Amino acid sequence: MRHLPLFGLRLTTPRLELRLPSLDDLDELADRALEGVHDPERMPFFVPWTQAPRDELPAGLIRYHLGVMARWQPDDWYCNFVVVHDGRVIGVQDLSASKFAVTRHVSTGSWLGQAYQGKGLGTEMRAAVLHLAFAGLGALTAGSGAFVDNPASLGVSRKLGYRPNGVSVHEVRGRRAVEQRLRLERDEFTSPVPVDVHGLEPCLPHFGLSRAGDADRAALS
């Protein structure tokens, strides 16, 4: 798109491509959600969206992603990438920030279809957006978090160099849920996989940054 180049932004790793979703991508993403995202006895999300009735979940998921894109502002953005593996949409990896030009801080979140978990793909896709954040956009810190009963997500964070950053307590499905918050400094991040970023330059104003360059933004190879 000439007037919204964000749809041309691509992140690639040895096994994955991350991109903002097309309508067809969202249809396929809804299929992954229907196939299952987590053990139904557990709830890894603050908002238990996976509990929606099966006949309502796909449309609700698609409306959510369209709404995220519609609300994008340069000083308050939420980049909801779909993750593509072997030509198939398998999950979501997001990167978000508020007042990024000042804070230089980003947050991440993600989910994968159950059939694709336990293969190292979660680490690879988070490494991709961290590379975009630190090397491409000039972020200084990244935050994440997971409930303490979600060892897979916490394990990804450990692999990528995050440090504990306190805890917070929430109510999820009528129960107490403790979140381990995490923080990663730019100087402590080394991607475990090569990451290529395509089409970033025309997107920079949509992230609240100047196309002319920024002293705090590292050059992309």
Side-chain angles (χ1 to χ4, degrees), residues 24-214:
D24 286 341
D25 288 338
L26 291 178
D27 250 353
E28 194 173 351
L29 185 66
D31 291 337
R32 298 295 85 76
L34 286 171
E35 291 164 3
V37 177
H38 58 83
D39 182 336
E41 296 302 313
R42 295 178 50 253
M43 177 49 66
F45 306 119
F46 291 108
V47 177
W49 60 271
T50 51
Q51 283 190 312
R54 286 185 62 83
D55 61 344
E56 297 176 10
L57 190 153
L61 180 148
I62 292 168
R63 286 194 300 269
Y64 168 76
H65 280 269
L66 293 175
V68 166
M69 195 68 230
R71 292 188 294 273
W72 186 302
Q73 296 293 330
D75 64 351
D76 189 11
W77 46 263
Y78 199 103
C79 198
N80 243 5
F81 290 110
V82 290
V83 181
V84 182
H85 173 59
D86 288 340
R88 197 174 201 202
V89 174
I90 62 170
V92 170
Q93 175 66 64
D94 66 54
L95 181 75
S96 62
S98 180
K99 310 293 184 184
F100 177 75
V102 176
T103 68
R104 299 290 172 161
H105 179 77
V106 298
S107 298
T108 64
S110 64
W111 64 265
L112 273 174
Q114 277 186 297
Y116 301 93
Q117 296 172 13
K119 305 176 187 296
L121 298 173
T123 301
E124 198 163 321
M125 65 200 220
R126 186 151 11 136
V129 294
L130 290 172
H131 177 82
L132 170 63
F134 291 133
L137 301 176
L140 297 177
T141 54
S144 188
F147 293 131
V148 294
D149 63 351
N150 189 351
S153 178
L154 294 171
V156 168
S157 297
R158 282 194 300 272
K159 290 178 189 175
L160 293 172
Y162 287 81
R163 298 175 182 270
N165 191 35
V167 298
S168 56
V169 180
H170 307 268
E171 179 275 325
V172 177
R173 296 198 299 186
R175 297 180 180 178
R176 186 176 191 267
V178 179
E179 179 198 19
Q180 174 66 64
R181 298 196 304 269
L182 302 151
R183 179 184 176 94
L184 177 64
E185 303 283 340
R186 179 167 71 179
D187 293 343
E188 297 178 338
F189 172 68
T190 301
S191 178
V193 294
V195 181
D196 291 315
V197 179
H198 313 270
L200 177 59
E201 187 68 19
C203 300
L204 292 176
H206 297 279
F207 290 99
L209 301 172
S210 169
R211 289 194 196 190
D214 188 305

